Amino acid sequence: MNTLGTSTISTAQRGKMFSKTLQHTLEKALVAEAICQVDRTDLKYIHNPYSTQPTALVQALAGTYSVSAWTTTDDSLTLTDEFVYGEHIFDFERVVAQYDLMADRFDQMAYAVAAALDLWVLNELLETGTGTYTTPVGGFTTAANIPIIISNLNSKVMGYADNYKGRFLVLENSDTTGLMQYQMSTGFNYADNALNNGFHGHIAGVDIYVVRDSTFVDAAATSVSGSKTWTNAGRRVFGVKGVATYAAPRGIQYDEKGVTGKTGKEISVVGYCGFRLWNAKLALVVDILIA
């Protein structure tokens, strides 16, 4: 429910709503879809069977070979969690406001669900990856550390065919100080671009995404992590794009319904999600510990 006081009604009667365009600048960037595969179909399971890796034998000319045994393992993604928000808009709230209050609330609610899903996927990605790396002391906030960190991270995944998909690094906003200082003092064209335009989202073949502080958290079956447990505080994530999949059947859906005893409508927004970093690709996602 929205509380309408005298000042709120007066503001609404001015006849033009700036809230959406102004508040949009404060919305957190959504990253998960840029670095994961997304499936929005109604499949109940997504299967990814994989077999043991064959190794070719090199030998002197003989014309003979040994027959090897092999096995197949079915790796699957299962839907596990839902993301939901609901509230009631009374009819007098809709009538008094001179803009489309319900449409605005739908937009804000849908974004809230999308942001919660994005945070959940990023933490699942970090929690599941088996690659590990500890930064030099000072982490990303020390400019001299940047080429060391980036080159070390790249070395962990280079040489695999999956590299053609591109590599990513997800940082929190307070990490970027050293990175920006490094960018502005390196090379010529690169430094000039950074000095003129600010933060660069690409360095040494790595696409850099920035989320807000406290995106990577410790949580155990909370209203943030749902059914999952994370130990991600003080960590960041790097890896190869497209080696993980999250399923979000039908995307984000909304509903509105009349409620007995209340005017107006109850509105709700819901999304569902399951996540899988496929077993054969676990090492291609690196858990970064900030020293």
Side-chain angles (χ1 to χ4, degrees), residues 68-84:
S68 301
W70 63 286
T71 58
T72 300
T73 303
D74 185 21
D75 197 5
S76 63
L77 184 159
T78 305
L79 190 71
T80 57
D81 290 77
E82 67 178 4
F83 304 75
V84 65

Side-chain angles (χ1 to χ4, degrees), residues 69-144:
W70 63 286
T71 58
T72 300
T73 303
D74 185 21
D75 197 5
S76 63
L77 184 159
T78 305
L79 190 71
T80 57
D81 290 77
E82 67 178 4
F83 304 75
V84 65
Y85 180 79
E87 60 190 24
H88 193 93
I89 295 182
F90 289 101
D91 190 62
F92 70 83
E93 294 173 326
R94 179 185 61 81
V95 171
V96 170
Q98 293 186 8
Y99 50 81
D100 193 341
L101 181 64
M102 189 170 290
D104 178 61
R105 291 307 295 170
F106 272 136
D107 286 345
Q108 295 186 43
M109 290 166 65
Y111 168 76
V113 170
L117 190 151
D118 192 75
L119 182 149
W120 188 87
V121 170
L122 289 177
N123 276 276
E124 275 295 280
L125 183 67
L126 173 53
E127 186 71 30
T128 311
T130 59
T132 60
Y133 176 70
T134 300
T135 70
V137 175
F140 294 94
T141 60
T142 301

Side-chain angles (χ1 to χ4, degrees), residues 45-279:
Y45 285 88
I46 298 174
H47 295 269
N48 183 18
Y50 61 94
S51 57
T52 50
Q53 187 72 31
T55 301
L57 172 66
V58 180
Q59 63 183 21
L61 289 172
T64 61
Y65 59 88
S66 299
V67 177
S68 301
W70 63 286
T71 58
T72 300
T73 303
D74 185 21
D75 197 5
S76 63
L77 184 159
T78 305
L79 190 71
T80 57
D81 290 77
E82 67 178 4
F83 304 75
V84 65
Y85 180 79
E87 60 190 24
H88 193 93
I89 295 182
F90 289 101
D91 190 62
F92 70 83
E93 294 173 326
R94 179 185 61 81
V95 171
V96 170
Q98 293 186 8
Y99 50 81
D100 193 341
L101 181 64
M102 189 170 290
D104 178 61
R105 291 307 295 170
F106 272 136
D107 286 345
Q108 295 186 43
M109 290 166 65
Y111 168 76
V113 170
L117 190 151
D118 192 75
L119 182 149
W120 188 87
V121 170
L122 289 177
N123 276 276
E124 275 295 280
L125 183 67
L126 173 53
E127 186 71 30
T128 311
T130 59
T132 60
Y133 176 70
T134 300
T135 70
V137 175
F140 294 94
T141 60
T142 301
N145 288 345
I146 301 304
I148 298 170
I149 294 173
I150 296 297
S151 59
N152 285 337
L153 289 173
N154 272 328
S155 72
K156 288 183 173 292
V157 299
M158 293 177 73
Y160 287 115
D162 273 323
N163 261 293
Y164 78 90
K165 298 177 180 178
R167 299 181 295 279
F168 70 87
L169 172 65
V170 183
L171 303 177
E172 294 186 348
N173 59 281
S174 60
D175 298 320
T176 61
T177 53
L179 189 59
M180 290 185 68
Q181 292 169 30
Y182 172 75
Q183 291 178 339
M184 290 185 289
S185 62
T186 301
F188 295 95
N189 290 337
Y190 191 83
D192 288 342
N193 283 333
L195 285 166
N196 290 326
N197 303 312
F199 178 76
H200 271 270
H202 188 82
I203 182 172
V206 179
D207 290 329
I208 302 173
Y209 301 91
V210 180
V211 295
R212 296 297 298 172
D213 285 345
S214 299
T215 293
F216 296 112
V217 295
D218 293 342
T222 67
S223 59
V224 173
S225 63
S227 67
K228 306 300 182 180
T229 297
W230 306 324
T231 53
N232 292 337
R235 288 175 148 79
R236 306 295 181 260
V237 64
F238 165 85
V240 175
K241 292 183 178 181
V243 298
T245 302
Y246 76 85
R250 300 185 182 181
I252 295 174
Q253 306 168 67
Y254 69 89
D255 186 27
E256 59 178 276
K257 58 179 75 68
V259 179
T260 301
K262 294 182 179 181
T263 63
K265 297 285 187 180
E266 182 178 288
I267 56 180
S268 63
V269 177
V270 63
Y272 306 101
C273 192
F275 172 86
R276 191 69 174 181
L277 173 54
W278 302 105
N279 284 334

Side-chain angles (χ1 to χ4, degrees), residues 16-27 99-112:
K16 190 168 185 177
M17 184 183 74
F18 289 98
S19 175
K20 184 58 182 176
T21 54
L22 291 177
Q23 300 302 331
H24 178 72
T25 62
L26 297 178
E27 292 181 352
Y99 50 81
D100 193 341
L101 181 64
M102 189 170 290
D104 178 61
R105 291 307 295 170
F106 272 136
D107 286 345
Q108 295 186 43
M109 290 166 65
Y111 168 76

Side-chain angles (χ1 to χ4, degrees), residues 8 44 140 161 166 187 212 244 261 281:
T8 307
K44 301 301 185 283
F140 294 94
R212 296 297 298 172
K281 307 295 180 69

